[in-house]
């Protein structure tokens, strides 16, 4: 049974998820607002999510380290679904190669800024320094992992035969190439992704005493 204090948060969080699913999967993705009723329905996920956040019991969230179970998945939803879709529709389908490169650069530049915005909000809300570091460095590892490259190939409906199936060599993945010394094969890319995801999970969920020991060691070095 859910404890009484976080019950309101859980209820409104569930309502937010249900409303978001209805809006995304049950309503057409129109640019124009067709009626006031549809407009208000599309606002429900935001309203429910706001109320869930407002009702969140901070001490309970700190005790179970809820931030580690909410912020990284929220970042991954942005990075593994919306970013590939932005690249696909904004660059591949509708733009020139130069426009695609400009879009790519700007999105990947704003992504670390988004991570820092998340952890800044968490820190200003009373989050500990150790959890700030866990979140920031863990999400950075996820960003650099190549997961987004894989998502780009799998969540979009590619008409280009070169990307209709996952390519045998990922010659565009320069962030992997600089580590490996050559463009990665498909299976090398998979291994690269797995290593980074494991490292990110280790950052998120490693024992707190390891982080405390690093802090003590750094403080001693600083005062020497």
């Amino acid at each position: 049974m859910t404890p009484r204090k976080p019950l309101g948060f859980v209820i409104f969080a569930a309502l937010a998820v249900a409303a978001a699913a209805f809006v995304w999967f049950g309503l057409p993705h129109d640019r124009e607002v067709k009626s006031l009723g549809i407009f208000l329905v599309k606002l429900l996920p935001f309203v429910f999510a706001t109320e869930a956040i407002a009702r969140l019991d901070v001490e309970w969230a700190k005790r179970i380290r809820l931030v580690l179970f909410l912020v990284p998945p929220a970042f991954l939803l942005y990075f593994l679904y919306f970013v590939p879709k932005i690249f696909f529709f904004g660059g591949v389908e509708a733009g020139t190669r130069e426009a695609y490169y400009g879009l790519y650069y700007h999105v990947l530049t704003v992504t670390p800024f988004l991570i820092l915005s998340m952890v800044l909000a968490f820190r200003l809300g009373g989050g500990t320094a150790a959890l700030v570091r866990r979140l920031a460095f863990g999400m950075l590892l996820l960003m650099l992992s190549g997961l987004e490259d894989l998502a780009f190939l799998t969540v979009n409906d590619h008409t280009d035969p070169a990307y209709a199936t996952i390519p045998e060599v990922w010659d565009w993945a320069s962030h992997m190439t600089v580590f490996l010394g050559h463009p990665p094969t498909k299976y090398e890319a998979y291994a690269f992704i797995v290593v980074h995801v494991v490292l990110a999970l280790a950052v998120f969920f490693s024992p707190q005493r390891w982080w405390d020991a690093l802090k003590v060691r750094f403080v001693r070095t600083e005062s020497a």
Side-chain angles (χ1 to χ4, degrees), residues 13-163:
L15 288 172
V17 171
F22 174 74
V23 169
W24 189 258
F25 296 109
L27 297 178
H29 293 193
D30 292 330
R31 183 183 64 84
E32 296 180 353
V33 178
K34 299 295 180 61
S35 71
L36 179 60
I38 292 177
F39 177 70
L40 294 176
V41 167
K42 288 186 174 183
L43 289 179
L44 283 178
F46 184 87
V47 173
F48 287 144
T50 299
E51 189 60 26
I53 294 169
R55 289 173 179 267
L56 178 61
D57 183 79
V58 176
E59 294 305 317
W60 171 74
K62 286 181 179 178
R63 188 166 60 252
I64 67 170
R65 295 180 184 170
L66 187 64
V67 65
L68 293 175
F69 298 93
L70 292 183
V71 174
F75 170 71
L76 285 177
L77 176 62
Y78 152 79
F79 194 59
L80 298 186
Y81 184 79
F82 290 103
V83 168
K85 287 293 185 182
I86 290 169
F87 287 159
F88 184 69
F89 292 117
V92 175
E93 290 292 290
T96 64
R97 183 173 294 273
E98 290 73 22
Y100 175 74
Y101 289 156
L103 178 68
Y104 188 91
Y105 180 82
H106 282 81
V107 170
L108 291 190
T109 300
V110 79
T111 299
F113 179 78
L114 177 64
I115 293 174
L116 293 175
S117 299
M118 287 178 166
V119 298
L120 175 61
F122 173 67
R123 181 62 169 160
L124 290 173
T128 65
L131 281 178
V132 165
R133 295 185 183 100
R134 285 183 190 242
L135 289 170
F137 294 129
M139 287 189 286
L140 184 65
L141 283 167
L142 292 174
M143 174 186 167
L144 299 175
S145 67
L147 276 172
E148 186 275 322
D149 296 271
L150 182 60
F152 178 80
L153 297 169
T154 54
V155 305
N156 295 312
D157 297 322
H158 290 279
T159 56
D160 187 339
Y163 300 108

Side-chain angles (χ1 to χ4, degrees), residues 166-179:
I166 296 177
E168 293 299 321
V169 177
W170 293 19
D171 53 7
W172 71 89
S174 57
H175 64 293
M176 296 184 185
T177 300
V178 296
F179 279 97

